[in-house]
Amino acid sequence: MTLPLYGTASQSAGFCSNAARSVVRLRSVDSAAERHAADFALAGTREEFQRAVEADWPSILVVSDGSIDLPGAFKGRLVAVPPKYDYLADGDVIGFDHASRKFRTLYRRKSAHNSFLVTERCNNYCLMCSQPPKDIDDRWILSEIKESLPLIDPATRALTFTGGETLSDWEDFIAVLKECRDRLPATAIQVLTNGRAFADSRIVDAWKDICHPNLIAAIPVYASVDHIHDHVVQARGAFDETILGILKLKDRGQRVEIRVVLHALTAPIIEDTGRWLARNLPFVDHVALMGLENTGFAIANDAVLWMDPVDYGDGLARAVDHLSAAGVNVSVYNLPKCVLPKSVWPHALQSISDWKNGFVEECDRCDEKNTCSGFFTTGRPRFSRGVRAITAQRDELTTLAD
Amino acid sequence: MPPAAKLPAASPVEVAVDFDSSVQSLSALDAAAYRLIGTATCRVDRVGDRYVCRLASSANPQKGAVLTSDALKERFLNLVADENLRTRVAETTEGVRNVILALAFGSLAANQNDAG
Amino acid sequence: MARFLPPEAFGAATEDLSLLPFSLERTGTRQYLVANVVGDFIRLTEDELNRLVDLQVRPGDGLYEKAYAAHLITGTNQKAQRQLLAARLRSRMSFLQQMTPLHIFVVTLRCEHSCPYCQVSRQSTDRSRFDMSEETAMRALDIAFASPAARIKIEFQGGEPLLNFPLIKMIVAAAKQRSGKKLDFVIASNLALLDDTVLDFCKANNVLLSTSLDGPADLHNKNRPRPGANSHELAVAGIRRAREILGPDRVGALMTTTEASLDRVDEIIDEYLQLGLDGIFLRPLSPFGFAIKTKQFAKYDAQKWLAFYERGLRRVLEINRQGTPFREFYAALLLTRMLSDRPIGYVDLRSPAGAGLGALVYNYDGSVFASDEGRMLAETGDDAFRLGHVHHDSYNSLILSDKLIAAISSSLTQCAPECSNCVYESHCGADPVYHHATQGDVLGIKPLSAFCARQKGIMGLLLDILENCPEDAVILRRWAAA
């Protein structure tokens, strides 16, 4: 079940017209924390709503299936959202559009997988893009993020910035990262980027000058050959810029992760790509080999992209071996253990963001479920023919078959 | 009984190969001859517009058996062909090689945008 | 509406392709081994090689992809590969930043063995005028500490260095008193004189022990005659005791190959295995010192030695396949060069050569030599690698001496005939002392060089295993791991 992070409020009141949007932090009604102007009491029942009013909360968000009658005394702001958003909790941050009443959950304090979408613009156009690019002016998003940062719990362990291409407005974005450094010094920051901007020395130097204590750029590389990578990302010259960007980042001592999404264009050559990365870029901080999320453009290009993971397992195992032998930290993301060769299991992480992570019925019987990444719930999930519960009995049968 | 016939002393295997000096460089011939040291000696003379290479296989080769005349000729021709190829690659790639060496060992300029 | 372009839209036109530098070597009928500017290997047919040189390659034809990934071709206007190759080249050469990390102190020439192949021209036990003096030792330490390296290794050799144990103790104490460098100590000893006093000292001061173990008893003792004929027994007992007291990773053994070893590599390896040692260094016989005098060197040639080496390596791989981790150390060094760009400063496997730049040898009498072997040559009257003397030279005057600079610059593989375009050059080294000793010339005529034949033979063998034996290839790759 995919958690709904977007929605429309059923009711709102008290928002002034001099701003189009507000950033809202939710607080439990009984919270003793110091109240910020952006704080809304979170009420799940009418009873809680009453208590919030009595506790002089100036702003209240109610999760309700019906309409709320406002007591006359209440002069503050109100947002009412349908019951499917009952996951909302103390410390969560949402962005609210006054006119349309549309809102987005920007941050969930209890989640280990918080990511901020920075823009939908991108200078690549990947065949499997899960967030298809739009050429629009959405610079307001960065402003909204800037407003959100003071509301985020400084104990948050990690945040991801994603897009589109996060460095599309690199000056403003780097300013946001500096804010993170100052307001959230204990929070590890991961930035997903195609890395092409770092071919420009001005940008990589500005990145270095952030002097963030725990920042990593996660950059996809899909092949060891220019035209194959360029075709996957649908941009001529992308490979050359991306590799140059990685070199410049490393030259300035910055942390880099390389990601390879596995599908019919990248998986058959994954051993070559892994060997090439091990030989040419062994100094990167991490390599993530990732199962495909069948959403966005991946659905449109399904005929070209779909490949059953059991058909690329051997190549994947050899790629992992090349990388580990070269001393590279390598992980496999988004692929359930039943479709992976056993040699890869130590590298297989539970990586799918909680809000889009699920299992199938077969998994109830599986011994490895607790350490398995499971499946994406987004888009049109496609399942390998290799999906089956791993049990001791199955291992015996396999041995007999051998 | 007549005395057993005396076998003639083994003579070194010799062969000559010649090249058109207008298309074959002397330096490639020298390089090929260098690689043959220990297997055969090579003497290069210029005769008209040709280079004549006189090869003589060594009596005590450093590696392997003494080569026959055909094997020696083939070996030398292969070596020359390889040296010609090496020369061609070196000439074609000299510029980019210098760029790579400059990038590697020249001072790393602050502005790397215009590096080759 | 999303519109996607087909693969053909992303290939470069032929006019936009450029060759990158590479070397080539014919390996068979119409077969070539090719290496790029940082030594990555790739095999091509003659046809593929010719198409490549003519730039008759197209994205999608298979050869383009092979050649691009191996950095044999690039886009004329592209930047990344040039920068990548430059960065890798810089990394490979960065061993030059570690100046003279190794300092060998020959504390005595006295020795109670009389090994026929010995590189150390030994004098008998009771002539104490062949011991290094304290004054010489302190001057040598001054020079060692003047080297720019932040971490130096001081290795005690001889003769048998334990015959002058008091001086070893003195040097270690004096070195530790000086600040500014991290220190490692090694004693290269036959262990016949190893006792608790020595072991306690080594333990207290973190001194490593390195000894010789040529193989099973009969082989070892034949190589190493000693009154009592018990060299092997003492070495093995010494190794066991030292491992127990100092720890298994503080004791190493090296073998030396003689004619007698060539047919017995399996037994030699088993000897090392039985002692629990974690690997073996299959070395060739060096042509120095008594070896030349007793004509040991002339007795075997590179091909025979290579057969010995190959058999030994395959035996080691078999041991690994059976579940015991065990390395051949020379292969591990070469594989680090071939499979990574991590700099290794192993003195015999680098160009510019490691003579002087990598190690200095302080003889018992105060003479300073560019290498171990250089010192051996001096014993036969050849001063070619004597750089100076501790009493009137400084680190700078030794390293910047005309003699050393000439030897290193004249032997550079990057400029040498055949070496400069050899397909193995990125992983090989200059050995000016060896070539001077065997050919009278620091550069040497490589087709006549056993060093060259051995290097090519071993690298060819390693490549063959990496390409054709997947299980062994996994083992070899781990040896090259960081």
Side-chain angles (χ1 to χ4, degrees):
Chain A
M1 186 51 206
T2 306
L3 208 62
L5 297 179
Y6 294 68
T8 307
S10 48
Q11 191 180 347
S12 71
F15 287 90
C16 49
S17 55
N18 63 355
R21 322 181 47 82
S22 293
V23 167
V24 168
R25 176 169 61 187
L26 303 174
R27 281 284 187 232
S28 59
V29 177
D30 306 311
S31 172
E34 195 179 321
R35 289 182 192 177
H36 189 281
D39 285 338
F40 277 50
L42 174 63
T45 63
R46 280 172 206 280
E47 180 270 324
E48 278 184 337
F49 177 69
Q50 282 295 75
R51 284 200 292 118
V53 172
E54 282 153 21
D56 288 324
W57 276 97
S59 311
I60 305 177
L61 184 140
V62 192
V63 180
S64 159
D65 52 4
S67 69
I68 307 290
D69 295 320
L70 289 172
F74 184 72
K75 301 289 178 223
R77 295 178 295 177
L78 171 81
V79 174
V81 300
K84 65 175 172 175
Y85 301 99
D86 62 355
Y87 64 80
L88 290 169
D90 181 86
D92 291 356
V93 175
I94 67 172
F96 181 72
D97 183 290
H98 302 174
S100 66
R101 277 191 268 118
K102 285 191 164 142
F103 70 92
R104 285 152 52 244
T105 303
L106 299 174
Y107 164 79
R108 290 171 298 130
R109 190 156 63 97
K110 281 186 299 193
S111 170
H113 303 109
N114 279 298
S115 74
F116 283 93
L117 180 95
V118 161
T119 177
E120 289 186 283
R121 281 166 287 144
C122 188
N123 54 349
N124 278 356
Y125 205 67
C126 302
L127 294 171
M128 65 285 186
C129 185
S130 58
Q131 188 70 44
K134 292 181 191 161
D135 187 14
I136 51 170
D137 185 350
D138 56 3
R139 285 173 293 173
W140 59 267
I141 297 180
L142 271 176
S143 310
E144 184 178 74
I145 292 173
K146 254 193 148 144
E147 265 187 78
S148 309
L149 290 180
L151 307 174
I152 290 173
D153 186 346
T156 303
R157 305 189 78 167
L159 285 179
T160 297
F161 289 96
T162 181
E165 171 47 45
T166 47
L167 290 162
S168 297
D169 292 308
W170 63 273
E171 278 163 308
D172 289 343
F173 179 60
I174 284 181
V176 165
L177 293 179
K178 286 183 173 168
E179 283 278 313
C180 289
R181 173 198 66 198
D182 295 338
R183 293 186 178 279
L184 307 168
T187 307
I189 305 289
Q190 176 188 64
V191 174
L192 306 190
T193 164
N194 61 36
R196 293 172 61 187
F198 297 119
D200 180 339
S201 290
R202 283 177 311 154
I203 300 177
V204 71
D205 286 338
W207 178 275
K208 172 177 158 244
D209 287 341
I210 299 171
C211 297
H212 194 286
N214 195 343
L215 174 64
I216 192 164
I219 300 175
V221 173
Y222 294 118
S224 52
V225 178
D226 56 351
H227 69 86
I228 299 178
H229 175 97
D230 288 357
H231 171 236
V232 171
V233 309
Q234 294 282 300
R236 291 187 66 117
F239 179 80
D240 195 57
E241 287 181 2
T242 296
I243 300 301
L244 190 58
I246 292 169
L247 289 174
K248 289 194 176 186
L249 279 169
K250 272 301 167 186
D251 181 64
R252 274 83 166 166
Q254 301 302 301
R255 295 175 64 231
V256 174
E257 168 181 292
I258 289 182
R259 305 188 140 202
V260 191
V261 175
L262 296 165
H263 52 56
L265 300 177
T266 59
I269 56 171
I270 190 60
E271 185 188 354
D272 288 340
T273 307
R275 194 192 303 116
W276 188 90
L277 290 171
R279 195 70 189 82
N280 289 280
L281 305 175
F283 44 73
V284 297
D285 300 273
H286 187 232
V287 171
L289 307 175
M290 309 171 55
L292 178 65
E293 185 179 355
N294 210 45
T295 188
F297 282 162
I299 299 176
N301 289 310
D302 182 74
V304 165
L305 295 178
W306 167 253
M307 184 170 181
D308 191 324
V310 297
D311 293 326
Y312 61 69
D314 284 345
L316 178 62
R318 283 194 277 268
V320 168
D321 184 63
H322 280 294
L323 287 161
S324 323
V328 181
N329 288 323
V330 50
S331 306
V332 173
Y333 288 172
N334 311 341
L335 288 166
K337 283 173 139 167
C338 49
V339 309
L340 292 173
K342 242 180 162 166
S343 65
V344 171
W345 286 13
H347 302 271
L349 297 189
Q350 288 180 296
S351 50
I352 298 181
S353 301
D354 53 7
W355 58 274
K356 51 182 177 177
N357 191 201
F359 289 84
V360 295
E361 206 181 304
E362 175 79 4
C363 304
D364 293 335
R365 308 191 291 113
C366 180
D367 294 339
E368 301 289 333
K369 185 177 176 185
N370 288 341
T371 54
C372 178
S373 73
F375 304 92
F376 286 106
T377 56
T378 41
R380 285 184 217 154
R382 279 191 76 156
F383 297 99
S384 163
R385 66 184 188 275
V387 173
R388 60 190 57 127
I390 298 166
T391 60
Q393 189 188 32
R394 174 204 174 182
D395 278 351
E396 268 176 46
L397 285 172
T398 315
T399 318
L400 284 171
D402 286 341
Chain B
M1 283 271 275
K6 246 187 174 174
L7 290 166
S11 50
V13 171
E14 287 187 352
V15 68
V17 192
D18 59 278
F19 300 87
D20 180 342
S21 62
S22 67
V23 297
Q24 177 58 54
S25 76
L26 183 57
S27 61
L29 296 177
D30 284 342
Y34 184 87
R35 279 169 174 255
L36 266 186
I37 293 175
T39 304
T41 58
C42 174
R43 213 181 87 184
V44 184
D45 292 311
R46 191 170 189 140
V47 179
D49 61 352
R50 302 193 75 76
Y51 290 121
V52 177
C53 303
R54 293 189 176 87
L55 306 163
S57 62
S58 304
N60 286 311
Q62 289 289 313
K63 7 189 163 166
V66 177
L67 293 176
T68 65
S69 152
D70 284 344
L72 181 53
K73 182 170 180 178
E74 183 177 345
R75 177 102 187 270
F76 185 68
L77 285 171
N78 280 342
L79 286 172
V80 173
D82 289 348
E83 286 303 327
N84 288 337
L85 195 53
R86 287 189 180 102
T87 305
R88 203 171 140 212
V89 172
E91 281 169 2
T92 311
T93 60
E94 185 186 354
V96 71
R97 182 190 189 85
N98 288 336
V99 165
I100 293 168
L101 290 174
L103 289 171
F105 305 117
S107 57
L108 293 171
N111 182 8
Q112 294 195 21
N113 269 337
D114 49 10
Chain C
M1 193 62 197
R3 210 169 319 148
F4 300 100
L5 298 172
E8 298 73 54
F10 299 96
T14 307
E15 323 63 275
D16 293 331
L17 290 180
S18 297
L19 273 185
L20 288 167
F22 62 85
S23 344
L24 55 103
E25 185 72 34
R26 188 184 292 257
T27 55
T29 317
R30 290 186 281 282
Q31 298 292 324
Y32 282 86
L33 180 64
V34 166
N36 66 21
V37 78
V38 285
D40 298 340
F41 291 106
I42 180 175
R43 298 213 187 254
L44 296 176
T45 64
E46 185 168 26
D47 176 63
E48 287 174 324
L49 180 56
N50 286 322
R51 277 169 55 206
L52 180 66
V53 176
D54 291 335
L55 286 175
Q56 291 305 306
V57 289
R58 299 274 182 287
D61 68 2
L63 180 57
Y64 177 100
E65 286 71 32
K66 242 168 103 167
Y68 192 93
H71 306 304
L72 302 178
I73 52 171
T74 188
T76 305
N77 298 312
Q78 289 182 334
K79 298 180 181 176
Q81 278 168 299
R82 291 165 176 80
Q83 290 282 10
L84 180 58
L85 291 170
R88 290 183 56 189
L89 198 53
R90 202 163 44 233
S91 178
R92 297 181 69 84
M93 297 302 286
S94 61
F95 65 85
L96 289 169
Q97 292 173 319
Q98 292 309 312
M99 284 295 289
T100 323
L102 176 61
H103 298 268
I104 298 174
F105 285 65
V106 180
V107 293
T108 181
L109 275 199
R110 293 181 291 129
C111 180
E112 23 60 81
H113 279 58
S114 68
C115 314
Y117 65 79
C118 181
Q119 299 181 162
V120 178
S121 322
R122 80 289 179 279
Q123 305 289 333
S124 66
T125 311
D126 50 25
R127 277 192 257 174
S128 57
R129 63 194 171 92
F130 292 100
D131 286 4
M132 181 183 272
S133 72
E134 283 188 16
E135 193 195 349
T136 298
M138 290 304 102
R139 298 294 279 260
L141 209 53
D142 287 342
I143 292 170
F145 269 78
S147 82
R151 182 175 188 145
I152 59 172
K153 182 192 288 193
I154 292 177
E155 185 167 318
F156 299 105
Q157 289 186 10
E160 171 45 54
L162 290 180
L163 282 170
N164 196 357
F165 185 56
L167 187 67
I168 293 178
K169 285 193 288 188
M170 197 229 137
I171 293 171
V172 171
K176 286 182 142 176
Q177 289 247 315
R178 298 177 192 225
S179 65
K181 292 200 193 307
K182 283 200 156 80
L183 300 170
D184 295 302
F185 298 101
V186 184
I187 302 176
S189 163
N190 60 36
L191 298 188
L193 304 169
L194 191 71
D195 61 18
D196 285 340
T197 312
V198 173
L199 282 169
D200 288 343
F201 173 80
C202 289
K203 191 164 176 96
N205 291 281
N206 228 4
V207 178
L208 290 163
L209 283 174
S210 171
T211 190
S212 299
L213 183 66
D214 292 349
D218 67 307
L219 183 60
H220 180 106
N221 288 333
K222 183 175 173 193
N223 284 345
R224 297 170 184 276
R226 184 181 195 273
N230 57 353
S231 178
H232 178 268
E233 195 186 309
L234 292 170
V236 167
I239 291 170
R240 288 212 169 101
R241 204 144 142 236
R243 279 166 61 90
E244 204 184 298
I245 298 193
L246 302 180
D249 55 339
R250 311 299 293 169
V251 183
L254 291 175
M255 66 160 292
T256 309
T257 315
T258 61
E259 168 117 11
S261 323
L262 292 182
D263 292 323
R264 302 181 64 180
V265 72
D266 292 333
E267 294 172 67
I268 298 169
I269 290 169
D270 283 342
E271 186 73 19
Y272 275 67
L273 256 184
Q274 280 162 34
L275 275 165
L277 294 163
D278 64 350
I280 189 169
F281 204 126
L282 294 174
R283 293 201 302 180
L285 175 58
S286 286
F288 300 105
F290 276 110
I292 283 184
K293 283 191 183 174
T294 56
K295 302 218 188 325
Q296 275 282 332
F297 172 63
K299 280 191 181 174
Y300 72 101
D301 60 42
Q303 295 310 314
K304 270 173 92 174
W305 184 86
L306 278 168
F308 157 85
Y309 182 85
E310 174 166 0
R311 200 192 156 101
L313 179 64
R314 293 199 186 274
R315 170 91 184 102
V316 168
L317 288 168
E318 188 188 359
I319 290 167
N320 278 271
R321 286 199 304 274
Q322 288 165 353
T324 306
F326 190 81
R327 291 184 184 207
E328 199 287 304
F329 291 123
Y330 194 62
L333 275 171
L334 271 176
L335 287 163
T336 304
R337 295 291 293 277
M338 292 161 73
L339 301 178
S340 82
D341 300 319
R342 287 197 309 283
I344 59 169
Y346 183 65
V347 293
D348 292 338
L349 201 60
R350 40 172 280 181
S351 176
L357 299 184
L360 283 172
V361 179
Y362 311 98
N363 206 7
Y364 73 99
D365 64 359
S367 316
V368 185
F369 292 89
S371 77
D372 243 359
E373 291 82 5
R375 200 193 68 78
M376 296 314 116
L377 279 179
E379 294 289 326
T380 64
D382 184 347
D383 264 1
F385 295 94
R386 182 184 184 282
L387 301 181
H389 195 282
V390 296
H391 288 303
H392 49 72
D393 276 295
S394 66
Y395 176 79
N396 280 7
S397 70
L398 293 165
I399 294 298
L400 297 175
S401 59
D402 289 341
K403 221 180 224 185
L404 186 61
I405 291 180
I408 291 173
S409 56
S410 305
S411 62
L412 289 170
T413 57
Q414 292 88 341
C415 310
E418 192 170 341
C419 294
S420 60
N421 53 25
C422 176
V423 79
Y424 297 111
E425 192 271 337
S426 302
H427 314 297
C428 199
D431 198 339
V433 185
Y434 175 91
H435 289 104
H436 171 89
T438 54
Q439 295 189 32
D441 170 59
V442 293
L443 180 59
I445 297 174
K446 294 306 181 346
L448 298 177
S449 163
F451 170 87
C452 177
R454 281 196 306 268
Q455 292 289 89
K456 287 183 172 178
I458 296 176
M459 282 197 263
L461 172 62
L462 290 173
L463 277 179
D464 178 43
I465 296 174
L466 286 168
E467 287 162 18
N468 299 315
C469 313
E471 205 187 339
D472 289 341
V474 169
I475 297 165
L476 291 180
R477 282 202 292 272
R478 299 270 158 198
W479 292 359

